[in-house]
Amino acid sequence: MHTSRSLTLARLPSGVPIRTTVHAYGEGEIVHGDGGPELDAPGDAPVVYAQAAQHGREVNGTAVLRRLHDRLVGDGAEGASGAETGDGAEPTAAGLTGTLVTVPVADPLTFDRVSYTTPESLDSRQPNMNRCWPGDPEGSLHDRMAARLWAFAGEADAIVDLHTGSPSMATHAVYMRGDDACRGLAEAFGTDLLLAEAAGDDADTEWDERGFAGKLRVAATREGIPTITPELAHSREVVPAAVETGVAGMIGALRHEGLLDGEPEPWDGVVARNHLGRVTAGDSGLFVPEPDLAVGDRVTEGDRVGEVFDPTTFETHQVARADRSGIAYSVAREATVTAGATLVGVAERIDVE
């Protein structure tokens, strides 16, 4: 079974509603409640919540949920590519044991502007929706939008918050370090690289400075809901390979949570510390990375990763070197950089947690 309803998240000053659509597949359905659409699902069956486009320029997750919809419902399934479930049959909504809830566009404000955050005129308190979970029904626009979506996410047994990196970032999934349930969900999603992000007293100072405690992944995990954040490159464009990775990951997650029969594909990747390690530009100029350096490569502390030079005098400002050993999860490809910009992101490998 598949049902969907228009969901009003908040209202603009003019009174125009900020709307999105929420879908349900399987045993549950989206019904009309006193306060608007709500989920009616059997209490003894698992619920998985997945959303995309919390940052409006990150569109591959939306394409993932569309492709997954086609496979579950059958619309356009004959033309959709992608692996079968493993037992020779396509997954269907009728075959789900439990309920999958999806929101393809979590933040219409940023989606319409192809942006990461909203203008100050719309939300001066919290322009980034992924810093205010679980939200506040009496707060700013993003607070209210998050609270409305939390009514669905907060009832789930597992959450997949689909995001999109940049063309220069390795595809990966982030989970709460030290949480075995989150780690299991991340492995089931199946990206080769997993990033374990600490929280609370174990977190880097930057955690508090950037408001990471308000991320959906963090808020949900602290409520006992295993949650992961897959980052599927690239932003601003739908990349077929990224979409395929996302669909396969969702199938793995649904298997892991018992909504689909079978087991996720065995995982044999790399786990690294949270991605706050950065090689930064000591001065402005043009950055030329080492020609053989690619995202996903292993680097050793002190390795040369590129050079920043003055475009007018040709003088070398900086020979950039890895500040730690680990995985180069991002490499800047836009040559013009300003002082302090990230040149290479390095995640420290974790062999044993």
Side-chain angles (χ1 to χ4, degrees), residues 4 196 202 213 224 270 301 310 319 337:
S4 64
D202 296 329
V270 173
E301 182 178 357
D310 187 317
V319 174
V337 297

Side-chain angles (χ1 to χ4, degrees), residues 255-291:
R255 285 174 167 172
H256 181 268
E257 296 301 316
L259 273 74
L260 285 175
D261 291 337
E263 296 294 326
E265 293 295 325
W267 183 81
D268 185 24
V270 173
V271 179
R273 261 187 94 243
N274 61 350
H275 51 286
L276 297 178
R278 294 186 179 92
V279 181
T280 59
D283 205 344
S284 302
L286 290 181
F287 173 61
V288 181
E290 290 297 287

Side-chain angles (χ1 to χ4, degrees), residues 1-171:
M1 179 171 61
H2 166 251
T3 57
S4 64
R5 295 284 186 273
S6 176
L7 178 67
T8 297
L9 300 173
R11 293 185 184 278
L12 295 172
S14 62
V16 173
I18 304 168
R19 291 195 179 102
T20 191
T21 302
V22 59
H23 299 257
Y25 307 84
E27 297 179 2
E29 61 179 322
I30 305 297
V31 298
H32 289 292
D34 293 338
E38 60 185 40
L39 176 65
D40 181 15
D44 58 348
V47 175
V48 172
Y49 174 86
Q51 68 173 32
Q54 191 173 178
H55 298 135
R57 67 191 185 195
E58 301 179 8
V59 295
N60 276 298
T62 302
V64 166
L65 295 181
R66 181 197 183 211
R67 177 72 61 79
L68 185 61
H69 169 91
D70 287 349
R71 294 182 66 177
L72 291 174
V73 178
D75 297 341
E78 292 182 357
S81 61
E84 295 176 338
T85 61
D87 58 4
E90 279 285 336
T92 64
L96 293 179
T97 303
T99 305
L100 169 65
V101 177
T102 72
V103 178
V105 179
D107 189 347
L109 292 178
T110 56
F111 191 91
D112 287 346
R113 291 165 176 78
V114 197
S115 63
Y116 189 79
T117 57
T118 59
E120 183 178 359
S121 59
L122 290 178
D123 197 329
S124 59
R125 195 199 72 80
Q126 188 47 270
N128 187 340
M129 185 178 182
N130 202 24
R131 299 293 185 270
C132 60
W133 291 88
D136 180 353
E138 298 182 356
S140 69
L141 280 185
H142 271 154
D143 285 325
R144 293 168 186 244
M145 291 164 64
R148 192 66 188 90
L149 292 176
W150 183 255
F152 296 93
E155 297 299 314
D157 297 288
I159 294 174
V160 180
D161 185 18
L162 294 164
H163 283 250
T164 298
S166 69
S168 59
M169 180 179 289
T171 295

